[in-house]
Amino acid sequence: MSQEKRSVYTPQKKQDYVAWDPHDRKLEVFLNSTYDAMIAVDEHGIISLFNCAAERLLMVKAEDMLGRPVSEVVPGTRLPLVLSSGISELNQQQTIGHLRIVTNRMPVRDSDNKIIGAVAVFRDITDIINLSGEITSIKEMKILLESIIESSQDAISVVDRNGKIILVNPAYTSLIGLSKDEVLGKSPTIDICEGESMHIKVMKTLVPVRGVPLQVGPQSKEVIVNAAPLIINGELQGSVAVVHDVSEIRQLNEELGRMKCLIRKIQSRYTFDDIVAQGSAMLNTVELARRAANTPVTVLLTGETGTGKELFAHAIHHASQRKNNLFVRVNCAALTESLLESELFGYEEGAFTGGRKGGKKGLFEEADGGSILLDEIGEISLAVQVKLLRVLQEKEIVRVGGVKPIPVQIRVIAATNRDLFLDVKRGLFREDLYYRLNIFPIAIPPLRQRLDEMPHLVDFLLKKLNQEYGRNVQSVSNEALRILSSYLWPGNIRELENVLARGMINMRFSESTMLFSHLPPLLPLAGSCDMAKISTVNTSTLAEALERAEHEAVVAALAANRGCRENTAKQLGISLRNLYYKIKKYNIASG
Protein backbone atom coordinates (compact mmCIF):
# COMPACT_ATOMS: atom_id res chain seq x y z
CA MET A 1 0.00 0.00 0.00
CA SER A 2 1.38 3.46 -1.01
CA GLN A 3 2.20 6.31 1.34
CA GLU A 4 -0.89 8.13 0.10
CA LYS A 5 -3.29 5.25 0.94
CA ARG A 6 -3.70 3.83 4.43
CA SER A 7 -5.87 1.17 6.07
CA VAL A 8 -8.31 3.85 7.19
CA TYR A 9 -10.60 5.12 4.45
CA THR A 10 -13.81 6.99 3.71
CA PRO A 11 -14.70 5.70 0.21
CA GLN A 12 -17.71 6.66 -1.86
CA LYS A 13 -17.34 3.61 -4.09
CA LYS A 14 -15.04 0.64 -3.92
CA GLN A 15 -13.11 1.89 -6.98
CA ASP A 16 -12.93 5.43 -5.70
CA TYR A 17 -10.93 5.37 -2.46
CA VAL A 18 -10.03 8.67 -0.93
CA ALA A 19 -6.88 8.33 1.17
CA TRP A 20 -6.12 10.30 4.29
CA ASP A 21 -3.82 13.07 3.54
CA PRO A 22 -0.49 13.12 5.41
CA HIS A 23 -1.90 15.51 8.03
CA ASP A 24 -4.31 12.78 9.21
CA ARG A 25 -1.66 10.09 9.71
CA LYS A 26 -1.54 10.80 13.44
CA LEU A 27 -5.22 9.84 13.73
CA GLU A 28 -4.51 6.65 11.77
CA VAL A 29 -1.68 5.74 14.15
CA PHE A 30 -3.95 6.34 17.12
CA LEU A 31 -6.69 4.11 15.75
CA ASN A 32 -4.27 1.32 14.87
CA SER A 33 -2.56 1.51 18.25
CA THR A 34 -5.67 1.09 20.37
CA TYR A 35 -6.31 -2.29 22.06
CA ASP A 36 -9.97 -2.22 21.07
CA ALA A 37 -10.91 -3.41 17.63
CA MET A 38 -12.79 -0.91 15.45
CA ILE A 39 -14.86 -1.36 12.29
CA ALA A 40 -16.62 1.58 10.64
CA VAL A 41 -19.03 1.62 7.69
CA ASP A 42 -20.44 4.42 5.57
CA GLU A 43 -24.12 5.11 5.13
CA HIS A 44 -24.26 2.27 2.56
CA GLY A 45 -22.80 -0.34 4.92
CA ILE A 46 -19.45 -0.40 3.13
CA ILE A 47 -16.43 -0.92 5.40
CA SER A 48 -14.41 2.27 5.57
CA LEU A 49 -12.38 1.60 8.75
CA PHE A 50 -10.70 -1.64 9.85
CA ASN A 51 -7.90 -1.15 12.40
CA CYS A 52 -5.04 -3.47 13.37
CA ALA A 53 -6.85 -4.80 16.50
CA ALA A 54 -9.75 -5.88 14.26
CA GLU A 55 -7.24 -7.64 12.01
CA ARG A 56 -5.82 -9.58 15.00
CA LEU A 57 -9.19 -10.63 16.39
CA LEU A 58 -10.83 -11.60 13.09
CA MET A 59 -7.58 -12.90 11.58
CA VAL A 60 -8.07 -11.11 8.26
CA LYS A 61 -6.23 -8.31 6.49
CA ALA A 62 -7.69 -4.82 6.39
CA GLU A 63 -6.94 -4.46 2.71
CA ASP A 64 -9.16 -7.48 2.00
CA MET A 65 -12.03 -5.99 4.00
CA LEU A 66 -12.04 -2.31 3.07
CA GLY A 67 -14.62 -1.30 0.53
CA ARG A 68 -16.68 -4.43 0.98
CA PRO A 69 -20.21 -4.65 2.45
CA VAL A 70 -19.89 -5.42 6.13
CA SER A 71 -22.84 -7.85 6.10
CA GLU A 72 -20.95 -10.07 3.64
CA VAL A 73 -17.61 -10.30 5.40
CA VAL A 74 -18.42 -10.00 9.16
CA PRO A 75 -20.77 -12.82 10.29
CA GLY A 76 -23.61 -11.74 12.53
CA THR A 77 -22.82 -8.02 12.33
CA ARG A 78 -25.56 -5.61 13.40
CA LEU A 79 -24.01 -2.47 11.97
CA PRO A 80 -26.60 -2.34 9.11
CA LEU A 81 -29.36 -2.41 11.79
CA VAL A 82 -27.71 0.43 13.66
CA LEU A 83 -27.52 2.40 10.35
CA SER A 84 -31.20 1.93 9.69
CA SER A 85 -32.47 2.47 13.25
CA GLY A 86 -30.02 5.11 14.41
CA ILE A 87 -30.05 3.50 17.88
CA SER A 88 -26.83 2.66 19.65
CA GLU A 89 -26.26 -0.87 20.99
CA LEU A 90 -23.96 -0.77 24.00
CA ASN A 91 -22.12 -3.57 25.87
CA GLN A 92 -23.51 -6.30 23.67
CA GLN A 93 -21.96 -9.79 23.75
CA GLN A 94 -21.47 -11.67 20.51
CA THR A 95 -19.83 -14.88 19.37
CA ILE A 96 -17.60 -14.78 16.32
CA GLY A 97 -16.13 -18.19 15.58
CA HIS A 98 -14.43 -19.35 18.73
CA LEU A 99 -14.29 -15.83 20.11
CA ARG A 100 -16.56 -14.20 22.63
CA ILE A 101 -16.60 -10.40 22.22
CA VAL A 102 -18.28 -7.44 23.85
CA THR A 103 -19.10 -4.59 21.50
CA ASN A 104 -20.52 -1.08 21.35
CA ARG A 105 -22.25 -0.15 18.08
CA MET A 106 -23.12 3.51 17.42
CA PRO A 107 -24.38 5.53 14.43
CA VAL A 108 -22.14 8.35 13.13
CA ARG A 109 -23.91 11.64 12.38
CA ASP A 110 -22.77 14.81 10.57
CA SER A 111 -23.33 18.34 11.71
CA ASP A 112 -26.90 18.18 10.35
CA ASN A 113 -27.57 15.08 12.48
CA LYS A 114 -27.74 12.97 9.38
CA ILE A 115 -26.49 9.38 9.72
CA ILE A 116 -23.41 9.08 7.54
CA GLY A 117 -22.15 5.75 8.88
CA ALA A 118 -21.76 3.52 11.89
CA VAL A 119 -18.88 2.26 13.98
CA ALA A 120 -18.39 -0.85 16.12
CA VAL A 121 -15.81 -0.94 18.89
CA PHE A 122 -15.23 -4.42 20.37
CA ARG A 123 -12.77 -6.56 22.31
CA ASP A 124 -12.17 -10.25 23.02
CA ILE A 125 -13.56 -11.32 26.41
CA THR A 126 -13.01 -15.08 26.00
CA ASP A 127 -10.15 -15.10 28.55
CA ILE A 128 -12.12 -12.85 30.87
CA ILE A 129 -15.10 -15.22 30.80
CA ASN A 130 -12.83 -18.20 31.45
CA LEU A 131 -11.11 -16.32 34.26
CA SER A 132 -14.47 -15.35 35.66
CA GLY A 133 -15.48 -19.01 35.68
CA GLU A 134 -12.27 -19.90 37.47
CA ILE A 135 -12.84 -17.15 40.00
CA THR A 136 -16.39 -18.40 40.56
CA SER A 137 -15.07 -21.93 41.06
CA ILE A 138 -12.44 -20.64 43.47
CA LYS A 139 -15.07 -18.72 45.40
CA GLU A 140 -17.32 -21.77 45.54
CA MET A 141 -14.39 -23.92 46.67
CA LYS A 142 -13.50 -21.34 49.32
CA ILE A 143 -17.08 -21.33 50.59
CA LEU A 144 -17.11 -25.14 50.60
CA LEU A 145 -13.82 -25.37 52.53
CA GLU A 146 -14.97 -22.77 55.02
CA SER A 147 -18.23 -24.67 55.50
CA ILE A 148 -16.32 -27.93 56.09
CA ILE A 149 -14.08 -26.25 58.66
CA GLU A 150 -17.03 -24.56 60.32
CA SER A 151 -18.98 -27.80 60.63
CA SER A 152 -16.01 -29.90 61.78
CA GLN A 153 -16.22 -31.29 65.30
CA ASP A 154 -12.45 -30.87 65.62
CA ALA A 155 -11.17 -27.53 66.91
CA ILE A 156 -9.25 -25.91 64.02
CA SER A 157 -7.20 -22.72 63.84
CA VAL A 158 -5.27 -21.28 60.88
CA VAL A 159 -2.41 -18.76 60.98
CA ASP A 160 -1.11 -16.71 58.03
CA ARG A 161 2.50 -16.20 56.97
CA ASN A 162 2.78 -13.18 59.28
CA GLY A 163 1.93 -15.29 62.32
CA LYS A 164 -1.59 -13.93 62.80
CA ILE A 165 -4.70 -16.04 63.39
CA ILE A 166 -6.96 -15.71 60.35
CA LEU A 167 -9.50 -18.50 60.88
CA VAL A 168 -11.02 -20.44 63.76
CA ASN A 169 -14.13 -22.63 63.77
CA PRO A 170 -16.95 -22.90 66.36
CA ALA A 171 -15.45 -26.10 67.79
CA TYR A 172 -12.28 -24.12 68.53
CA THR A 173 -14.04 -21.26 70.30
CA SER A 174 -16.14 -23.74 72.29
CA LEU A 175 -13.12 -25.77 73.38
CA ILE A 176 -10.68 -22.94 74.04
CA GLY A 177 -13.21 -20.62 75.67
CA LEU A 178 -12.32 -17.54 73.59
CA SER A 179 -14.51 -15.85 70.99
CA LYS A 180 -13.50 -15.20 67.37
CA ASP A 181 -13.14 -11.48 68.02
CA GLU A 182 -10.69 -12.21 70.82
CA VAL A 183 -8.33 -14.28 68.66
CA LEU A 184 -8.63 -13.20 65.01
CA GLY A 185 -5.68 -11.08 63.96
CA LYS A 186 -3.79 -11.97 67.15
CA SER A 187 -0.66 -14.00 67.73
CA PRO A 188 -1.24 -17.77 68.12
CA THR A 189 0.22 -17.53 71.62
CA ILE A 190 -2.95 -15.77 72.81
CA ASP A 191 -4.68 -19.05 73.72
CA ILE A 192 -1.65 -20.75 75.33
CA CYS A 193 -1.59 -21.06 79.11
CA GLU A 194 1.24 -23.54 79.42
CA GLY A 195 3.54 -24.73 76.65
CA GLU A 196 4.80 -23.50 73.29
CA SER A 197 2.63 -22.43 70.36
CA MET A 198 2.73 -25.21 67.79
CA HIS A 199 1.84 -22.73 65.04
CA ILE A 200 5.07 -20.82 65.63
CA LYS A 201 7.09 -24.03 65.99
CA VAL A 202 5.99 -25.63 62.71
CA MET A 203 6.43 -22.33 60.83
CA LYS A 204 10.02 -22.18 62.10
CA THR A 205 10.92 -25.82 61.52
CA LEU A 206 8.56 -26.58 58.58
CA VAL A 207 8.04 -30.00 60.25
CA PRO A 208 4.53 -31.18 61.31
CA VAL A 209 3.97 -32.20 64.94
CA ARG A 210 1.46 -34.63 66.46
CA GLY A 211 0.09 -35.31 69.93
CA VAL A 212 1.68 -32.37 71.72
CA PRO A 213 0.10 -31.75 75.16
CA LEU A 214 -0.78 -28.14 75.99
CA GLN A 215 -2.96 -26.15 78.36
CA VAL A 216 -5.11 -23.55 76.62
CA GLY A 217 -7.81 -20.97 77.24
CA PRO A 218 -8.92 -19.12 80.37
CA GLN A 219 -9.75 -22.42 82.08
CA SER A 220 -6.36 -24.02 81.32
CA LYS A 221 -7.94 -26.94 79.48
CA GLU A 222 -5.67 -29.88 78.76
CA VAL A 223 -5.52 -30.57 75.04
CA ILE A 224 -3.48 -32.46 72.47
CA VAL A 225 -2.43 -30.54 69.36
CA ASN A 226 -1.56 -31.66 65.83
CA ALA A 227 -0.09 -28.91 63.65
CA ALA A 228 1.43 -28.62 60.16
CA PRO A 229 2.91 -25.82 58.02
CA LEU A 230 0.96 -24.63 54.97
CA ILE A 231 3.37 -24.67 52.02
CA ILE A 232 2.01 -23.55 48.64
CA ASN A 233 4.21 -23.64 45.52
CA GLY A 234 7.24 -24.12 47.72
CA GLU A 235 6.54 -21.06 49.88
CA LEU A 236 5.39 -20.96 53.49
CA GLN A 237 1.91 -19.43 53.67
CA GLY A 238 1.04 -20.16 57.30
CA SER A 239 0.07 -23.13 59.46
CA VAL A 240 -3.00 -25.12 60.56
CA ALA A 241 -3.60 -26.79 63.92
CA VAL A 242 -6.21 -29.31 65.10
CA VAL A 243 -6.88 -29.44 68.84
CA HIS A 244 -8.40 -32.38 70.74
CA ASP A 245 -9.84 -32.20 74.25
CA VAL A 246 -7.90 -34.56 76.52
CA SER A 247 -10.92 -34.99 78.79
CA GLU A 248 -12.85 -36.48 75.84
CA ILE A 249 -9.94 -38.83 75.09
CA ARG A 250 -9.82 -39.82 78.75
CA GLN A 251 -13.53 -40.55 78.69
CA LEU A 252 -13.08 -42.74 75.62
CA ASN A 253 -10.19 -44.56 77.29
CA GLU A 254 -12.25 -45.11 80.42
CA GLU A 255 -15.10 -46.44 78.34
CA LEU A 256 -12.66 -48.72 76.53
CA GLY A 257 -11.36 -49.91 79.90
CA ARG A 258 -14.88 -50.62 81.08
CA MET A 259 -15.58 -52.56 77.94
CA LYS A 260 -12.44 -54.62 78.51
CA CYS A 261 -13.89 -55.56 81.87
CA LEU A 262 -16.71 -57.22 79.98
CA ILE A 263 -15.30 -60.52 78.87
CA ARG A 264 -16.89 -60.52 75.47
CA LYS A 265 -16.20 -61.73 71.97
CA ILE A 266 -18.01 -61.20 68.70
CA GLN A 267 -18.02 -64.92 67.92
CA SER A 268 -17.85 -68.00 70.08
CA ARG A 269 -14.43 -69.63 70.25
CA TYR A 270 -15.22 -73.11 71.50
CA THR A 271 -17.38 -76.02 70.37
CA PHE A 272 -18.50 -79.27 71.97
CA ASP A 273 -15.37 -80.85 70.46
CA ASP A 274 -13.33 -78.76 72.90
CA ILE A 275 -15.04 -80.34 75.90
CA VAL A 276 -13.39 -83.45 77.34
CA ALA A 277 -16.20 -85.86 78.18
CA GLN A 278 -15.32 -89.50 78.87
CA GLY A 279 -17.16 -90.28 82.11
CA SER A 280 -20.89 -90.80 82.33
CA ALA A 281 -21.51 -87.62 84.35
CA MET A 282 -19.84 -85.37 81.80
CA LEU A 283 -21.29 -87.24 78.83
CA ASN A 284 -24.79 -86.68 80.20
CA THR A 285 -24.06 -83.00 80.79
CA VAL A 286 -22.80 -82.52 77.22
CA GLU A 287 -25.87 -84.31 75.84
CA LEU A 288 -28.15 -81.94 77.79
CA ALA A 289 -26.25 -78.95 76.42
CA ARG A 290 -26.55 -80.24 72.84
CA ARG A 291 -30.31 -80.55 73.25
CA ALA A 292 -30.53 -77.01 74.60
CA ALA A 293 -28.49 -75.68 71.68
CA ASN A 294 -31.13 -76.77 69.19
CA THR A 295 -33.79 -74.61 70.88
CA PRO A 296 -34.05 -70.93 71.84
CA VAL A 297 -34.61 -71.87 75.49
CA THR A 298 -32.95 -69.89 78.29
CA VAL A 299 -30.14 -71.95 79.82
CA LEU A 300 -28.85 -71.76 83.40
CA LEU A 301 -25.32 -73.19 83.79
CA THR A 302 -24.43 -74.03 87.37
CA GLY A 303 -21.28 -75.39 88.87
CA GLU A 304 -18.31 -74.51 90.99
CA THR A 305 -15.74 -71.97 89.90
CA GLY A 306 -13.44 -73.32 87.20
CA THR A 307 -15.65 -76.16 85.97
CA GLY A 308 -16.03 -74.74 82.45
CA LYS A 309 -19.37 -72.94 82.44
CA GLU A 310 -18.16 -70.39 79.90
CA LEU A 311 -16.83 -73.17 77.69
CA PHE A 312 -20.30 -74.73 77.65
CA ALA A 313 -21.89 -71.34 76.83
CA HIS A 314 -19.58 -70.98 73.81
CA ALA A 315 -20.39 -74.49 72.64
CA ILE A 316 -24.16 -74.01 73.02
CA HIS A 317 -24.09 -70.82 70.93
CA HIS A 318 -21.85 -72.38 68.29
CA ALA A 319 -24.17 -75.38 67.91
CA SER A 320 -27.31 -73.22 67.66
CA GLN A 321 -28.96 -71.56 64.68
CA ARG A 322 -27.65 -68.24 66.02
CA LYS A 323 -23.99 -69.17 65.54
CA ASN A 324 -23.48 -66.63 62.73
CA ASN A 325 -24.75 -63.80 64.95
CA LEU A 326 -23.11 -62.11 67.91
CA PHE A 327 -22.10 -63.94 71.06
CA VAL A 328 -21.64 -61.41 73.86
CA ARG A 329 -20.13 -62.26 77.24
CA VAL A 330 -20.69 -60.16 80.33
CA ASN A 331 -19.04 -60.66 83.72
CA CYS A 332 -21.76 -59.31 85.99
CA ALA A 333 -19.46 -59.31 89.03
CA ALA A 334 -16.87 -57.09 87.33
CA LEU A 335 -19.15 -54.04 87.07
CA THR A 336 -20.89 -51.79 89.54
CA GLU A 337 -24.69 -51.77 89.60
CA SER A 338 -25.07 -48.50 87.69
CA LEU A 339 -22.44 -49.39 85.11
CA LEU A 340 -23.83 -52.89 84.62
CA GLU A 341 -27.31 -51.47 83.99
CA SER A 342 -26.10 -48.94 81.41
CA GLU A 343 -23.92 -51.54 79.68
CA LEU A 344 -26.67 -54.14 79.48
CA PHE A 345 -29.60 -51.91 78.54
CA GLY A 346 -27.86 -48.82 77.07
CA TYR A 347 -28.85 -45.25 77.82
CA GLU A 348 -30.47 -42.25 76.18
CA GLU A 349 -28.69 -38.93 75.66
CA GLY A 350 -28.68 -36.90 78.87
CA ALA A 351 -29.47 -39.93 81.07
CA PHE A 352 -26.46 -39.10 83.24
CA THR A 353 -23.42 -36.83 83.33
CA GLY A 354 -20.58 -37.94 81.07
CA GLY A 355 -22.80 -40.04 78.82
CA ARG A 356 -22.14 -40.23 75.11
CA LYS A 357 -23.89 -37.69 72.89
CA GLY A 358 -26.82 -39.38 71.20
CA GLY A 359 -26.95 -42.13 73.81
CA LYS A 360 -25.56 -45.63 73.51
CA LYS A 361 -26.76 -49.09 72.60
CA GLY A 362 -26.70 -51.69 75.33
CA LEU A 363 -25.26 -55.18 75.01
CA PHE A 364 -28.74 -56.68 74.68
CA GLU A 365 -29.33 -54.53 71.59
CA GLU A 366 -25.89 -55.35 70.17
CA ALA A 367 -26.51 -59.08 70.62
CA ASP A 368 -29.97 -58.94 69.01
CA GLY A 369 -30.42 -62.12 67.01
CA GLY A 370 -27.54 -63.82 68.84
CA SER A 371 -26.71 -65.01 72.34
CA ILE A 372 -25.59 -63.30 75.53
CA LEU A 373 -23.80 -64.97 78.44
CA LEU A 374 -24.52 -63.41 81.83
CA ASP A 375 -21.68 -64.85 83.89
CA GLU A 376 -21.98 -64.72 87.69
CA ILE A 377 -25.67 -63.89 87.37
CA GLY A 378 -26.08 -64.27 91.13
CA GLU A 379 -24.07 -61.08 91.71
CA ILE A 380 -26.53 -58.65 90.10
CA SER A 381 -28.62 -56.36 92.27
CA LEU A 382 -32.38 -56.66 92.77
CA ALA A 383 -32.92 -53.45 90.73
CA VAL A 384 -31.14 -54.90 87.68
CA GLN A 385 -32.93 -58.22 88.22
CA VAL A 386 -36.25 -56.45 87.63
CA LYS A 387 -35.12 -55.14 84.24
CA LEU A 388 -33.62 -58.50 83.31
CA LEU A 389 -36.95 -60.19 84.09
CA ARG A 390 -38.62 -57.91 81.53
CA VAL A 391 -36.14 -59.01 78.88
CA LEU A 392 -36.97 -62.66 79.51
CA GLN A 393 -40.73 -62.15 79.77
CA GLU A 394 -41.48 -59.44 77.19
CA LYS A 395 -38.46 -59.81 74.88
CA GLU A 396 -37.83 -56.07 75.07
CA ILE A 397 -35.58 -53.62 76.89
CA VAL A 398 -35.84 -49.97 77.94
CA ARG A 399 -32.69 -47.87 77.91
CA VAL A 400 -31.59 -46.01 81.02
CA GLY A 401 -33.34 -42.63 80.91
CA GLY A 402 -35.72 -43.81 78.20
CA VAL A 403 -39.38 -44.78 78.06
CA LYS A 404 -39.65 -46.45 74.67
CA PRO A 405 -39.45 -50.26 74.74
CA ILE A 406 -37.05 -51.77 72.22
CA PRO A 407 -37.78 -55.36 71.08
CA VAL A 408 -34.88 -57.84 71.11
CA GLN A 409 -34.64 -61.44 69.96
CA ILE A 410 -31.86 -62.94 72.03
CA ARG A 411 -30.88 -66.24 73.65
CA VAL A 412 -29.89 -65.73 77.29
CA ILE A 413 -27.37 -68.10 78.84
CA ALA A 414 -26.81 -67.47 82.55
CA ALA A 415 -23.99 -68.93 84.65
CA THR A 416 -23.37 -68.98 88.39
CA ASN A 417 -21.42 -70.84 91.05
CA ARG A 418 -23.98 -69.89 93.70
CA ASP A 419 -27.07 -71.70 94.92
CA LEU A 420 -29.69 -69.35 93.47
CA PHE A 421 -32.54 -71.27 95.11
CA LEU A 422 -30.95 -70.63 98.50
CA ASP A 423 -30.50 -66.97 97.56
CA VAL A 424 -34.21 -66.82 96.70
CA LYS A 425 -35.06 -68.07 100.20
CA ARG A 426 -32.80 -65.43 101.72
CA GLY A 427 -34.34 -62.64 99.62
CA LEU A 428 -31.13 -62.03 97.66
CA PHE A 429 -32.55 -63.17 94.33
CA ARG A 430 -36.00 -62.68 92.81
CA GLU A 431 -38.05 -65.86 92.74
CA ASP A 432 -39.79 -64.98 89.46
CA LEU A 433 -36.43 -64.33 87.77
CA TYR A 434 -35.03 -67.57 89.16
CA TYR A 435 -37.81 -69.60 87.56
CA ARG A 436 -37.39 -67.71 84.28
CA LEU A 437 -33.68 -68.57 84.25
CA ASN A 438 -34.09 -72.11 85.51
CA ILE A 439 -36.11 -73.33 82.53
CA PHE A 440 -33.27 -75.55 81.33
CA PRO A 441 -30.65 -75.96 84.09
CA ILE A 442 -27.37 -77.68 83.31
CA ALA A 443 -25.20 -78.61 86.28
CA ILE A 444 -21.54 -79.06 85.35
CA PRO A 445 -19.83 -81.63 87.59
CA PRO A 446 -16.71 -80.56 89.51
CA LEU A 447 -13.35 -82.10 88.68
CA ARG A 448 -13.30 -84.24 91.85
CA GLN A 449 -16.23 -86.15 90.35
CA ARG A 450 -14.32 -86.66 87.09
CA LEU A 451 -10.97 -87.95 88.35
CA ASP A 452 -11.30 -90.99 86.08
CA GLU A 453 -11.02 -88.56 83.14
CA MET A 454 -7.73 -87.11 84.41
CA PRO A 455 -5.51 -88.68 81.66
CA HIS A 456 -7.74 -87.25 78.92
CA LEU A 457 -7.93 -83.83 80.61
CA VAL A 458 -4.16 -83.68 81.09
CA ASP A 459 -3.55 -84.61 77.46
CA PHE A 460 -6.00 -81.96 76.24
CA LEU A 461 -4.54 -79.21 78.46
CA LEU A 462 -0.94 -80.06 77.56
CA LYS A 463 -1.72 -79.56 73.86
CA LYS A 464 -3.31 -76.21 74.65
CA LEU A 465 -0.38 -75.07 76.84
CA ASN A 466 2.18 -76.23 74.26
CA GLN A 467 0.63 -73.82 71.75
CA GLU A 468 0.54 -70.96 74.25
CA TYR A 469 4.09 -71.43 75.59
CA GLY A 470 5.79 -72.79 72.48
CA ARG A 471 6.74 -76.05 74.19
CA ASN A 472 6.61 -79.72 73.22
CA VAL A 473 5.54 -81.57 76.38
CA GLN A 474 4.06 -84.90 75.33
CA SER A 475 2.94 -86.49 78.61
CA VAL A 476 3.14 -86.64 82.39
CA SER A 477 4.78 -89.45 84.32
CA ASN A 478 2.72 -92.15 86.04
CA GLU A 479 3.72 -90.79 89.44
CA ALA A 480 2.67 -87.26 88.50
CA LEU A 481 -0.62 -88.55 87.08
CA ARG A 482 -1.26 -90.49 90.29
CA ILE A 483 -0.74 -87.35 92.38
CA LEU A 484 -3.01 -85.31 90.10
CA SER A 485 -5.71 -87.98 90.28
CA SER A 486 -5.63 -88.11 94.11
CA TYR A 487 -6.18 -84.37 94.62
CA LEU A 488 -9.73 -83.05 95.07
CA TRP A 489 -9.19 -79.87 93.01
CA PRO A 490 -11.19 -77.11 94.74
CA GLY A 491 -10.37 -74.86 91.78
CA ASN A 492 -11.47 -77.51 89.27
CA ILE A 493 -10.28 -77.44 85.64
CA ARG A 494 -8.88 -73.93 86.01
CA GLU A 495 -6.69 -75.01 88.90
CA LEU A 496 -5.53 -78.10 87.00
CA GLU A 497 -4.55 -75.93 84.03
CA ASN A 498 -2.61 -73.58 86.31
CA VAL A 499 -0.77 -76.49 87.95
CA LEU A 500 0.19 -77.94 84.56
CA ALA A 501 1.30 -74.53 83.33
CA ARG A 502 3.60 -74.08 86.34
CA GLY A 503 4.93 -77.61 85.84
CA MET A 504 5.69 -76.83 82.19
CA ILE A 505 7.56 -73.67 83.18
CA ASN A 506 9.68 -75.73 85.62
CA MET A 507 10.74 -78.09 82.81
CA ARG A 508 13.75 -77.72 80.57
CA PHE A 509 13.06 -77.13 76.88
CA SER A 510 14.64 -80.50 76.05
CA GLU A 511 12.30 -82.40 78.39
CA SER A 512 9.09 -83.84 76.98
CA THR A 513 7.67 -85.67 80.01
CA MET A 514 6.40 -83.78 83.04
CA LEU A 515 7.57 -85.41 86.28
CA PHE A 516 6.25 -85.22 89.80
CA SER A 517 9.24 -82.99 90.67
CA HIS A 518 8.08 -80.43 88.11
CA LEU A 519 4.67 -80.01 89.72
CA PRO A 520 4.09 -77.29 92.32
CA PRO A 521 3.14 -78.48 95.84
CA LEU A 522 -0.49 -79.59 96.04
CA LEU A 523 -1.40 -78.55 99.60
CA PRO A 524 -4.07 -80.27 101.69
CA LEU A 525 -7.50 -78.86 101.13
CA ALA A 526 -7.47 -76.39 104.03
CA GLY A 527 -9.56 -73.50 102.88
CA SER A 528 -11.44 -75.71 100.42
CA CYS A 529 -14.58 -77.76 100.63
CA ASP A 530 -13.54 -81.18 102.05
CA MET A 531 -16.21 -83.41 100.48
CA ALA A 532 -15.16 -86.45 102.54
CA LYS A 533 -15.79 -84.48 105.71
CA ILE A 534 -19.13 -83.23 104.45
CA SER A 535 -20.32 -86.72 103.68
CA THR A 536 -19.74 -87.88 107.29
CA VAL A 537 -21.25 -84.93 109.09
CA ASN A 538 -24.58 -85.69 110.71
CA THR A 539 -26.74 -82.84 109.42
CA SER A 540 -30.38 -82.56 108.67
CA THR A 541 -29.91 -81.30 105.09
CA LEU A 542 -27.20 -81.22 102.44
CA ALA A 543 -27.56 -77.41 102.15
CA GLU A 544 -26.63 -76.98 105.81
CA ALA A 545 -23.62 -79.24 105.40
CA LEU A 546 -22.47 -77.24 102.40
CA GLU A 547 -22.90 -73.98 104.29
CA ARG A 548 -20.85 -75.29 107.20
CA ALA A 549 -18.09 -76.44 104.88
CA GLU A 550 -18.17 -73.12 103.01
CA HIS A 551 -17.90 -71.22 106.28
CA GLU A 552 -14.88 -73.29 107.32
CA ALA A 553 -13.27 -72.86 103.89
CA VAL A 554 -13.54 -69.07 104.03
CA VAL A 555 -12.21 -68.91 107.60
CA ALA A 556 -9.26 -71.16 106.76
CA ALA A 557 -8.41 -69.22 103.58
CA LEU A 558 -8.51 -65.88 105.40
CA ALA A 559 -6.20 -67.27 108.07
CA ALA A 560 -3.78 -68.66 105.47
CA ASN A 561 -3.64 -65.26 103.72
CA ARG A 562 -3.36 -63.28 106.99
CA GLY A 563 -6.66 -61.57 106.40
CA CYS A 564 -5.84 -60.31 102.88
CA ARG A 565 -9.21 -60.51 101.18
CA GLU A 566 -7.91 -60.09 97.65
CA ASN A 567 -5.52 -63.06 97.98
CA THR A 568 -8.24 -65.05 99.76
CA ALA A 569 -10.66 -64.50 96.88
CA LYS A 570 -8.01 -65.61 94.39
CA GLN A 571 -7.27 -68.75 96.42
CA LEU A 572 -10.94 -69.65 96.69
CA GLY A 573 -11.49 -68.88 93.00
CA ILE A 574 -14.31 -66.42 93.64
CA SER A 575 -14.79 -62.72 93.01
CA LEU A 576 -13.84 -60.20 95.69
CA ARG A 577 -17.46 -59.10 95.83
CA ASN A 578 -18.57 -62.68 96.40
CA LEU A 579 -16.04 -63.03 99.22
CA TYR A 580 -17.38 -59.92 100.93
CA TYR A 581 -20.85 -61.38 100.64
CA LYS A 582 -19.78 -64.65 102.30
CA ILE A 583 -17.94 -62.83 105.10
CA LYS A 584 -21.07 -60.86 105.83
CA LYS A 585 -23.29 -63.92 105.41
CA TYR A 586 -21.37 -66.00 107.96
CA ASN A 587 -20.46 -63.03 110.20
CA ILE A 588 -16.75 -63.83 109.89
CA ALA A 589 -14.23 -61.55 111.63
CA SER A 590 -11.44 -61.23 109.09
CA GLY A 591 -9.02 -58.78 110.55
Side-chain angles (χ1 to χ4, degrees), residues 515-536:
L515 305 177
F516 168 70
S517 59
H518 296 136
L519 298 176
L522 297 178
L523 300 176
L525 298 181
S528 299
C529 181
D530 190 338
M531 298 305 294
K533 181 178 179 181
I534 289 176
S535 64
T536 61

Side-chain angles (χ1 to χ4, degrees), residues 331-371:
N331 187 336
C332 299
L335 302 172
T336 63
E337 177 183 339
S338 59
L339 184 56
L340 177 63
E341 185 177 5
S342 64
E343 292 294 344
L344 285 178
F345 304 103
Y347 56 82
E348 297 290 354
E349 181 176 350
F352 50 81
T353 304
R356 182 187 297 175
K357 185 176 181 181
K360 176 178 175 290
K361 274 186 176 183
L363 296 179
F364 278 116
E365 286 184 76
E366 288 189 12
D368 190 19
S371 304

Side-chain angles (χ1 to χ4, degrees), residues 437-457:
L437 292 172
N438 201 43
I439 297 175
F440 200 99
I442 299 176
I444 303 173
L447 181 53
R448 60 180 168 273
Q449 296 178 10
R450 304 172 56 196
L451 294 179
D452 57 330
E453 298 179 282
M454 186 60 67
H456 303 285
L457 289 169

Side-chain angles (χ1 to χ4, degrees), residues 64 77 150 186 198 245 297 312 334 452 455 486 491 550-551 584:
D64 295 333
T77 182
E150 287 287 307
K186 306 292 178 58
M198 290 301 102
D245 189 353
V297 68
F312 268 84
D452 57 330
S486 63
E550 187 175 61
H551 174 270
K584 182 179 179 181

Side-chain angles (χ1 to χ4, degrees), residues 267-284:
Q267 295 181 342
S268 55
R269 293 183 295 169
Y270 306 112
T271 70
F272 284 112
D273 294 335
D274 296 309
I275 298 176
V276 176
Q278 298 294 326
S280 59
M282 200 61 176
L283 285 171
N284 290 336

